[in-house]
């Protein structure tokens, strides 16, 4: 009888010890199991992410250095300090192409006179002062010194420069594809970026450059469509 009680007590003691051991080790096992599952999930996510990048489904965010971040912040600061600056720059960029001269448009006569040098890019033209034949990519309209020069079309000034052959020249963008150049000018106060209306007076005829002494005073007139030269005479309005 005593032996039976002893076995009962011993069994209870072993069961209690088993419960204590389980209570102590179970959280650690659960944490270890959770970590193992988390690690597997991360590996699967990383593998999936890499696969998506390779397929082009995801974009890699580029790294940004401190210097680049500083420059970006400075640029944003400038925009905030002077918000009109960017607006004006955009407006100026758009304004160059707002003029609508096209293939069916006409040019007003910048000066009235005889054409003393014709346009010809297929045959050689004789230039008396230079005493040579060359292709002519523009026309020359005879006009006395100090004759007012008006714009053949509305446009925006893109270049003002002195040319050794054609004297003071002014180039204007008059359409998305077209630009016009006036040469042998004087008394021109235009600058790059100025807008000019059709038939607006903007300069006068200068004393002819030495390259055209034999031809005499005239207006040099060149028209381009993209990179190609056009004959201005084909566009001049003879009804005016």
């Amino acid at each position: 009888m005593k032996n039976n009680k002893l076995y009962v007590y011993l069994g209870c003691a072993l069961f209690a010890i088993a419960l204590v051991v389980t209570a102590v080790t179970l959280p650690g096992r659960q944490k270890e199991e959770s970590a193992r599952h988390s690690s597997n999930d991360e590996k699967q996510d990383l593998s999936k992410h890499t696969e998506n990048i390779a397929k082009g489904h995801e974009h890699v965010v580029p790294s940004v250095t401190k210097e680049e971040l500083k420059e970006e912040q400075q640029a944003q600061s400038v925009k905030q300090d002077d918000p009109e600056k960017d607006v004006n720059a955009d407006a100026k960029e758009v304004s160059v192409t707002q003029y609508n001269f096209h293939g069916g448009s006409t040019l007003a006569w910048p000066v009235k006179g005889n054409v003393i040098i014709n346009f010809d890019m297929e045959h050689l033209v004789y230039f008396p002062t230079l005493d040579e034949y060359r292709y002519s990519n523009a026309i020359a309209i005879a006009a006395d010194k100090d004759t007012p020069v008006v714009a053949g079309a509305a446009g925006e000034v893109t270049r003002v420069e002195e040319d050794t052959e054609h004297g003071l020249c002014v180039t204007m963008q008059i359409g998305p594809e077209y630009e016009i150049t006036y040469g042998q000018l004087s008394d021109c106060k235009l600058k790059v970026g100025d807008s000019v209306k059709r038939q607006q007076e903007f300069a006068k005829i200068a004393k002819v450059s030495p390259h055209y002494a034999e031809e005499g005073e005239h207006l040099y007139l060149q028209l381009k469509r993209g990179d190609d030269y056009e004959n201005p005479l084909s566009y001049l309005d003879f009804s005016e």
Side-chain angles (χ1 to χ4, degrees), residues 72-143:
E72 178 65 20
Q73 291 173 343
Q74 289 175 344
Q76 291 295 333
S77 176
V78 169
K79 287 184 179 180
Q80 292 174 356
D81 294 340
D82 189 6
E84 294 184 359
K85 186 173 182 180
D86 288 338
V87 173
N88 292 336
D90 293 341
K92 184 175 181 180
E93 183 178 348
V94 172
S95 67
V96 173
T97 59
Q98 72 181 356
Y99 302 100
N100 58 3
F101 188 91
H102 53 81
S105 300
T106 60
L107 291 170
W109 284 77
V111 294
K112 292 295 179 68
N114 295 324
V115 176
I116 57 175
I117 299 177
N118 287 306
F119 176 93
D120 200 329
M121 293 296 290
E122 295 182 358
H123 308 93
L124 295 174
V125 176
Y126 180 67
F127 289 79
T129 305
L130 300 174
D131 191 24
E132 66 180 28
Y133 289 87
R134 57 162 69 174
Y135 293 106
S136 176
N137 61 11
I139 65 172
I141 306 174

Coordinates of all heavy atoms in Angstrom, one line a residue, residues 72-143:
E72 N 19.7 70.4 -54.9 CA 18.3 70.3 -55.1 C 17.6 71.3 -54.2 O 16.7 72.0 -54.6 CB 17.8 68.9 -55.0 CG 16.3 68.8 -55.2 CD 15.8 69.1 -56.6 OE1 16.7 69.0 -57.5 OE2 14.6 69.4 -56.8
Q73 N 18.0 71.3 -52.9 CA 17.4 72.2 -51.9 C 17.6 73.6 -52.3 O 16.8 74.5 -52.2 CB 17.9 71.9 -50.5 CG 17.4 70.5 -50.0 CD 18.1 70.2 -48.7 OE1 19.1 70.7 -48.3 NE2 17.5 69.2 -48.0
Q74 N 18.9 73.9 -52.8 CA 19.2 75.3 -53.2 C 18.3 75.7 -54.4 O 17.9 76.9 -54.5 CB 20.7 75.4 -53.5 CG 21.6 75.3 -52.3 CD 23.0 75.3 -52.6 OE1 23.4 75.1 -53.8 NE2 23.9 75.6 -51.7
A75 N 18.2 74.8 -55.3 CA 17.4 75.1 -56.5 C 15.9 75.4 -56.1 O 15.3 76.3 -56.7 CB 17.4 73.9 -57.5
Q76 N 15.4 74.6 -55.2 CA 14.0 74.8 -54.8 C 13.9 76.1 -54.0 O 12.9 76.8 -54.2 CB 13.6 73.7 -53.8 CG 13.4 72.3 -54.5 CD 12.3 72.3 -55.5 OE1 11.3 73.1 -55.4 NE2 12.4 71.5 -56.6
S77 N 15.0 76.5 -53.3 CA 15.0 77.8 -52.6 C 14.9 78.9 -53.5 O 14.2 79.9 -53.3 CB 16.2 77.8 -51.7 OG 16.3 79.1 -51.0
V78 N 15.7 78.8 -54.6 CA 15.7 79.9 -55.6 C 14.4 80.1 -56.3 O 13.9 81.2 -56.5 CB 16.8 79.6 -56.7 CG1 16.6 80.6 -57.9 CG2 18.2 79.7 -56.1
K79 N 13.7 78.9 -56.6 CA 12.4 79.0 -57.2 C 11.4 79.7 -56.2 O 10.5 80.5 -56.6 CB 11.8 77.6 -57.5 CG 12.5 77.0 -58.7 CD 11.9 75.7 -59.1 CE 12.6 75.0 -60.3 NZ 12.0 73.7 -60.7
Q80 N 11.5 79.4 -54.9 CA 10.6 80.0 -53.9 C 10.9 81.5 -53.8 O 10.0 82.3 -53.6 CB 10.7 79.2 -52.6 CG 10.2 77.8 -52.7 CD 10.4 77.1 -51.4 OE1 11.1 77.6 -50.4 NE2 10.0 75.8 -51.3
D81 N 12.2 81.8 -53.8 CA 12.5 83.2 -53.6 C 12.1 84.1 -54.8 O 11.8 85.2 -54.7 CB 14.1 83.4 -53.5 CG 14.5 82.7 -52.1 OD1 13.7 82.6 -51.2 OD2 15.7 82.4 -52.0
D82 N 12.2 83.5 -56.0 CA 11.9 84.2 -57.3 C 11.0 83.4 -58.2 O 11.5 82.9 -59.2 CB 13.1 84.6 -58.0 CG 12.9 85.6 -59.1 OD1 11.7 86.0 -59.2 OD2 13.8 85.9 -59.9
P83 N 9.7 83.2 -57.8 CA 8.8 82.3 -58.6 C 8.6 82.8 -60.0 O 8.3 82.0 -60.9 CB 7.5 82.3 -57.8 CG 7.6 83.6 -57.0 CD 9.0 83.8 -56.7
E84 N 8.8 84.1 -60.3 CA 8.5 84.6 -61.6 C 9.7 84.3 -62.6 O 9.5 84.4 -63.8 CB 8.3 86.2 -61.6 CG 7.0 86.6 -60.8 CD 6.8 88.0 -60.8 OE1 7.7 88.7 -61.4 OE2 5.8 88.5 -60.3
K85 N 10.8 84.0 -62.0 CA 12.0 83.8 -62.8 C 11.8 82.6 -63.8 O 12.1 82.7 -65.0 CB 13.2 83.5 -61.9 CG 14.6 83.4 -62.7 CD 15.7 83.3 -61.7 CE 17.0 83.3 -62.5 NZ 18.2 83.2 -61.6
D86 N 11.3 81.5 -63.2 CA 11.1 80.3 -64.1 C 9.9 80.5 -65.0 O 10.0 80.1 -66.2 CB 10.8 79.1 -63.2 CG 12.1 78.6 -62.5 OD1 13.2 78.9 -63.0 OD2 11.9 77.9 -61.5
V87 N 8.9 81.3 -64.6 CA 7.8 81.6 -65.4 C 8.2 82.4 -66.6 O 7.8 82.1 -67.8 CB 6.7 82.3 -64.6 CG1 5.6 82.8 -65.6 CG2 6.1 81.4 -63.5
N88 N 9.1 83.4 -66.4 CA 9.5 84.2 -67.5 C 10.4 83.5 -68.4 O 10.3 83.7 -69.6 CB 10.3 85.4 -66.9 CG 9.4 86.4 -66.1 OD1 8.2 86.5 -66.4 ND2 10.0 87.2 -65.2
A89 N 11.2 82.5 -67.9 CA 12.1 81.7 -68.7 C 11.3 80.8 -69.6 O 11.5 80.7 -70.8 CB 13.0 80.9 -67.9
D90 N 10.2 80.2 -69.1 CA 9.3 79.4 -69.8 C 8.6 80.2 -70.9 O 8.5 79.7 -72.0 CB 8.3 78.6 -68.9 CG 9.0 77.6 -68.0 OD1 10.2 77.2 -68.3 OD2 8.4 77.3 -67.0
A91 N 8.1 81.4 -70.5 CA 7.4 82.2 -71.5 C 8.3 82.6 -72.6 O 7.9 82.6 -73.8 CB 6.9 83.4 -70.7
K92 N 9.6 82.9 -72.3 CA 10.5 83.3 -73.4 C 10.8 82.1 -74.3 O 10.8 82.3 -75.5 CB 11.8 83.8 -72.8 CG 12.8 84.3 -73.8 CD 14.0 84.9 -73.1 CE 15.0 85.4 -74.2 NZ 16.2 86.0 -73.6
E93 N 10.9 80.9 -73.8 CA 11.1 79.8 -74.6 C 10.0 79.5 -75.5 O 10.1 79.2 -76.7 CB 11.4 78.5 -73.7 CG 11.7 77.3 -74.5 CD 12.0 76.1 -73.6 OE1 12.2 76.3 -72.3 OE2 12.1 75.0 -74.1
V94 N 8.7 79.7 -75.0 CA 7.5 79.4 -75.8 C 7.4 80.6 -76.9 O 6.9 80.3 -78.0 CB 6.3 79.4 -74.9 CG1 5.0 79.3 -75.7 CG2 6.4 78.1 -74.0
S95 N 7.7 81.8 -76.5 CA 7.4 83.0 -77.3 C 8.2 82.9 -78.7 O 7.7 83.4 -79.7 CB 7.8 84.3 -76.6 OG 9.2 84.3 -76.5
V96 N 9.3 82.2 -78.7 CA 10.1 82.1 -79.9 C 9.3 81.3 -81.0 O 9.4 81.6 -82.2 CB 11.4 81.4 -79.7 CG1 12.2 81.1 -81.0 CG2 12.3 82.3 -78.8
T97 N 8.4 80.4 -80.6 CA 7.7 79.6 -81.6 C 6.2 80.0 -81.7 O 5.4 79.3 -82.3 CB 7.8 78.1 -81.2 OG1 7.3 78.0 -79.9 CG2 9.2 77.6 -81.2
Q98 N 5.8 81.2 -81.1 CA 4.4 81.5 -81.1 C 4.1 82.2 -82.4 O 2.9 82.3 -82.8 CB 4.1 82.5 -80.0 CG 4.7 83.9 -80.1 CD 4.3 84.8 -79.0 OE1 3.6 84.4 -78.1 NE2 4.9 86.0 -79.0
Y99 N 5.1 82.6 -83.2 CA 4.8 83.2 -84.5 C 4.5 82.2 -85.5 O 5.1 81.1 -85.5 CB 6.0 84.1 -84.9 CG 6.3 85.2 -83.9 CD1 7.3 85.0 -83.0 CD2 5.5 86.3 -83.8 CE1 7.5 86.0 -82.0 CE2 5.7 87.3 -82.8 CZ 6.7 87.1 -81.9 OH 6.9 88.0 -80.9
N100 N 3.5 82.5 -86.4 CA 3.0 81.4 -87.3 C 3.2 81.5 -88.7 O 2.4 81.1 -89.6 CB 1.4 81.3 -87.0 CG 0.7 82.7 -87.3 OD1 1.4 83.6 -87.8 ND2 -0.6 82.7 -87.1
F101 N 4.3 82.2 -89.1 CA 4.7 82.2 -90.5 C 4.9 80.8 -91.1 O 5.5 80.0 -90.5 CB 6.0 83.1 -90.7 CG 6.3 83.4 -92.2 CD1 5.8 84.5 -92.8 CD2 7.0 82.5 -92.9 CE1 6.1 84.8 -94.1 CE2 7.3 82.7 -94.3 CZ 6.8 83.9 -94.9
H102 N 4.3 80.6 -92.3 CA 4.3 79.2 -92.8 C 4.5 79.3 -94.3 O 4.6 80.4 -94.9 CB 3.1 78.4 -92.4 CG 1.8 79.1 -92.8 ND1 1.3 79.0 -94.0 CD2 1.0 79.8 -92.0 CE1 0.1 79.7 -94.0 NE2 -0.1 80.2 -92.8
G103 N 4.4 78.2 -95.0 CA 4.7 78.1 -96.4 C 3.7 78.9 -97.2 O 4.0 79.4 -98.3
G104 N 2.5 79.1 -96.7 CA 1.5 79.9 -97.5 C 1.4 81.4 -97.1 O 0.6 82.1 -97.6
S105 N 2.3 81.8 -96.2 CA 2.3 83.2 -95.7 C 3.1 84.1 -96.7 O 3.8 83.6 -97.6 CB 3.0 83.3 -94.4 OG 2.4 82.5 -93.4
T106 N 2.9 85.4 -96.6 CA 3.6 86.4 -97.4 C 4.4 87.3 -96.6 O 4.1 87.5 -95.4 CB 2.6 87.2 -98.3 OG1 1.7 87.9 -97.4 CG2 1.8 86.4 -99.2
L107 N 5.4 87.9 -97.2 CA 6.3 88.8 -96.5 C 6.0 90.2 -97.0 O 5.8 90.5 -98.2 CB 7.8 88.5 -96.8 CG 8.4 87.3 -96.2 CD1 9.8 87.0 -96.8 CD2 8.5 87.4 -94.7
A108 N 5.9 91.2 -96.1 CA 5.9 92.6 -96.5 C 7.2 93.0 -97.0 O 8.3 92.5 -96.6 CB 5.5 93.5 -95.3
W109 N 7.3 93.9 -98.0 CA 8.6 94.4 -98.5 C 9.3 95.2 -97.4 O 8.7 96.2 -96.9 CB 8.4 95.3 -99.7 CG 8.0 94.5 -101.0 CD1 6.8 93.9 -101.3 CD2 8.9 94.1 -102.0 NE1 6.9 93.2 -102.5 CE2 8.2 93.4 -103.0 CE3 10.3 94.4 -102.3 CZ2 8.8 92.9 -104.1 CZ3 10.8 93.9 -103.5 CH2 10.1 93.2 -104.4
P110 N 10.4 94.8 -97.0 CA 11.2 95.5 -95.9 C 11.6 96.9 -96.4 O 11.6 97.9 -95.7 CB 12.4 94.7 -95.7 CG 12.0 93.3 -96.1 CD 11.1 93.5 -97.3
V111 N 11.9 97.0 -97.7 CA 12.2 98.3 -98.4 C 11.6 98.1 -99.8 O 11.5 97.0 -100.3 CB 13.7 98.7 -98.4 CG1 14.2 98.9 -97.1 CG2 14.5 97.6 -99.2
K112 N 11.3 99.2 -100.4 CA 10.8 99.2 -101.8 C 12.0 99.5 -102.8 O 12.6 100.5 -102.6 CB 9.6 100.1 -102.0 CG 8.4 99.8 -101.3 CD 7.8 98.5 -101.8 CE 6.5 98.1 -101.1 NZ 5.4 99.0 -101.3
G113 N 12.2 98.6 -103.7 CA 13.3 98.8 -104.6 C 13.5 97.6 -105.6 O 12.8 96.6 -105.5
N114 N 14.4 97.8 -106.5 CA 14.7 96.7 -107.4 C 15.6 95.6 -106.8 O 16.5 95.9 -106.0 CB 15.4 97.3 -108.7 CG 14.5 98.2 -109.4 OD1 13.3 98.0 -109.5 ND2 15.1 99.3 -110.0
V115 N 15.3 94.4 -107.2 CA 16.2 93.3 -106.7 C 17.4 93.3 -107.6 O 17.3 93.0 -108.8 CB 15.4 91.9 -106.8 CG1 16.3 90.8 -106.5 CG2 14.2 92.0 -105.9
I116 N 18.6 93.5 -107.0 CA 19.8 93.6 -107.8 C 20.7 92.4 -107.7 O 21.6 92.2 -108.5 CB 20.6 94.9 -107.4 CG1 21.0 94.8 -105.9 CG2 19.9 96.2 -107.7 CD1 21.9 95.9 -105.4
I117 N 20.4 91.5 -106.7 CA 21.0 90.2 -106.6 C 19.9 89.2 -106.4 O 19.1 89.3 -105.5 CB 22.0 90.1 -105.5 CG1 23.2 91.1 -105.7 CG2 22.6 88.7 -105.4 CD1 24.2 91.2 -104.6
N118 N 19.8 88.2 -107.3 CA 18.8 87.2 -107.2 C 19.2 86.0 -106.4 O 20.4 85.7 -106.2 CB 18.3 86.7 -108.6 CG 17.5 87.8 -109.3 OD1 16.5 88.2 -108.8 ND2 18.0 88.1 -110.5
F119 N 18.2 85.3 -105.9 CA 18.4 84.0 -105.2 C 18.6 82.9 -106.2 O 17.8 82.8 -107.2 CB 17.2 83.7 -104.3 CG 17.3 82.4 -103.6 CD1 17.8 82.3 -102.3 CD2 16.8 81.2 -104.2 CE1 17.8 81.0 -101.7 CE2 16.8 80.0 -103.6 CZ 17.3 79.9 -102.3
D120 N 19.7 82.1 -106.0 CA 19.9 80.9 -106.9 C 20.8 80.0 -106.3 O 22.0 80.2 -106.1 CB 20.4 81.4 -108.3 CG 20.2 80.3 -109.4 OD1 20.1 79.1 -109.0 OD2 20.0 80.7 -110.5
M121 N 20.3 78.8 -105.8 CA 21.1 77.8 -105.2 C 21.4 76.6 -106.2 O 22.0 75.6 -105.8 CB 20.4 77.3 -104.0 CG 20.3 78.3 -102.8 SD 22.0 78.8 -102.2 CE 22.5 77.3 -101.4
E122 N 21.0 76.8 -107.5 CA 21.3 75.8 -108.5 C 22.3 76.2 -109.5 O 23.0 75.4 -110.1 CB 19.9 75.4 -109.2 CG 18.9 74.8 -108.2 CD 17.7 74.4 -109.0 OE1 17.6 74.6 -110.2 OE2 16.8 73.8 -108.4
H123 N 22.4 77.6 -109.7 CA 23.3 78.1 -110.7 C 24.2 79.2 -110.1 O 23.8 79.8 -109.1 CB 22.5 78.7 -111.9 CG 21.5 77.8 -112.5 ND1 20.2 77.8 -112.1 CD2 21.7 76.8 -113.4 CE1 19.6 76.9 -112.8 NE2 20.4 76.3 -113.6
L124 N 25.4 79.3 -110.6 CA 26.3 80.3 -110.0 C 25.9 81.7 -110.5 O 25.4 81.9 -111.6 CB 27.7 80.0 -110.5 CG 28.3 78.7 -110.0 CD1 29.7 78.5 -110.6 CD2 28.4 78.7 -108.5
V125 N 26.0 82.7 -109.5 CA 25.6 84.1 -109.8 C 26.9 84.9 -109.7 O 27.7 84.7 -108.9 CB 24.6 84.6 -108.8 CG1 24.3 86.0 -109.0 CG2 23.3 83.7 -108.8
Y126 N 27.0 85.9 -110.6 CA 28.2 86.7 -110.7 C 28.0 87.9 -109.7 O 27.0 88.6 -109.7 CB 28.4 87.3 -112.1 CG 29.6 88.2 -112.2 CD1 30.9 87.6 -112.1 CD2 29.5 89.5 -112.5 CE1 32.0 88.4 -112.1 CE2 30.6 90.3 -112.6 CZ 31.9 89.8 -112.4 OH 33.0 90.6 -112.5
F127 N 29.1 88.1 -108.9 CA 29.1 89.2 -107.9 C 30.2 90.2 -108.4 O 31.4 89.8 -108.3 CB 29.4 88.7 -106.5 CG 28.3 87.9 -105.9 CD1 28.0 86.6 -106.2 CD2 27.4 88.5 -105.0 CE1 26.9 85.9 -105.7 CE2 26.4 87.9 -104.4 CZ 26.1 86.5 -104.7
P128 N 29.8 91.4 -108.9 CA 30.8 92.3 -109.5 C 32.0 92.7 -108.6 O 33.1 92.7 -109.0 CB 30.0 93.5 -109.9 CG 28.6 92.9 -110.0 CD 28.5 91.9 -109.0
T129 N 31.6 93.1 -107.3 CA 32.7 93.6 -106.4 C 33.7 92.5 -106.1 O 34.9 92.7 -106.2 CB 32.1 94.1 -105.1 OG1 31.1 95.1 -105.4 CG2 33.2 94.7 -104.2
L130 N 33.2 91.3 -105.9 CA 34.1 90.2 -105.6 C 34.7 89.6 -106.8 O 35.7 88.8 -106.7 CB 33.3 89.1 -104.8 CG 32.7 89.5 -103.5 CD1 31.8 88.4 -102.9 CD2 33.7 89.9 -102.5
D131 N 34.1 89.9 -108.0 CA 34.6 89.4 -109.3 C 34.7 87.9 -109.2 O 35.7 87.3 -109.6 CB 35.9 90.0 -109.6 CG 36.3 89.7 -111.1 OD1 35.4 89.5 -111.9 OD2 37.5 89.7 -111.4
E132 N 33.6 87.3 -108.8 CA 33.5 85.8 -108.7 C 32.1 85.3 -108.8 O 31.1 86.1 -108.6 CB 34.1 85.3 -107.4 CG 33.4 85.7 -106.2 CD 34.0 85.1 -104.9 OE1 35.3 85.0 -104.9 OE2 33.3 84.9 -104.0
Y133 N 32.0 84.1 -109.2 CA 30.7 83.4 -109.3 C 30.5 82.6 -108.1 O 31.4 81.9 -107.6 CB 30.6 82.6 -110.6 CG 30.5 83.3 -111.8 CD1 31.6 83.8 -112.5 CD2 29.2 83.7 -112.4 CE1 31.5 84.5 -113.7 CE2 29.1 84.4 -113.6 CZ 30.3 84.8 -114.2 OH 30.2 85.5 -115.4
R134 N 29.3 82.6 -107.5 CA 29.0 81.8 -106.3 C 27.5 81.6 -106.3 O 26.7 82.3 -106.9 CB 29.4 82.5 -105.1 CG 28.9 83.9 -104.9 CD 28.9 84.4 -103.4 NE 30.3 84.7 -103.0 CZ 30.6 85.2 -101.9 NH1 29.6 85.6 -101.0 NH2 31.9 85.4 -101.5
Y135 N 27.1 80.6 -105.5 CA 25.6 80.4 -105.2 C 25.1 81.5 -104.4 O 25.8 82.0 -103.4 CB 25.4 79.1 -104.6 CG 25.7 77.9 -105.5 CD1 26.9 77.1 -105.2 CD2 24.9 77.6 -106.6 CE1 27.2 76.0 -106.1 CE2 25.2 76.5 -107.4 CZ 26.4 75.7 -107.1 OH 26.7 74.7 -108.0
S136 N 23.9 82.0 -104.6 CA 23.3 83.1 -103.9 C 22.2 82.5 -103.0 O 21.1 82.1 -103.5 CB 22.8 84.1 -104.9 OG 22.1 85.2 -104.2
N137 N 22.3 82.6 -101.7 CA 21.3 82.1 -100.8 C 20.4 83.2 -100.2 O 19.7 83.0 -99.2 CB 22.0 81.3 -99.6 CG 22.9 82.2 -98.8 OD1 22.9 83.5 -99.0 ND2 23.7 81.6 -97.9
A138 N 20.5 84.4 -100.8 CA 19.6 85.5 -100.4 C 19.4 86.4 -101.6 O 19.9 86.2 -102.7 CB 20.3 86.2 -99.3
I139 N 18.7 87.5 -101.4 CA 18.5 88.5 -102.4 C 19.0 89.8 -101.8 O 19.1 90.0 -100.6 CB 17.0 88.6 -102.9 CG1 16.1 89.1 -101.7 CG2 16.5 87.3 -103.4 CD1 14.7 89.5 -102.2
A140 N 19.2 90.8 -102.7 CA 19.6 92.1 -102.4 C 18.6 93.1 -103.0 O 18.4 93.0 -104.3 CB 21.0 92.4 -102.8
I141 N 18.0 94.0 -102.2 CA 17.0 94.9 -102.7 C 17.6 96.3 -102.6 O 18.0 96.8 -101.6 CB 15.7 94.9 -101.9 CG1 15.1 93.5 -101.8 CG2 14.7 95.9 -102.5 CD1 13.9 93.3 -100.9
A142 N 17.8 97.0 -103.8 CA 18.4 98.3 -103.8 C 17.6 99.3 -103.0 O 16.4 99.4 -103.0 CB 18.5 98.8 -105.2
A143 N 18.3 100.1 -102.2 CA 17.7 101.1 -101.3 C 18.8 102.1 -100.9 O 19.9 101.8 -100.7 CB 17.1 100.5 -100.1

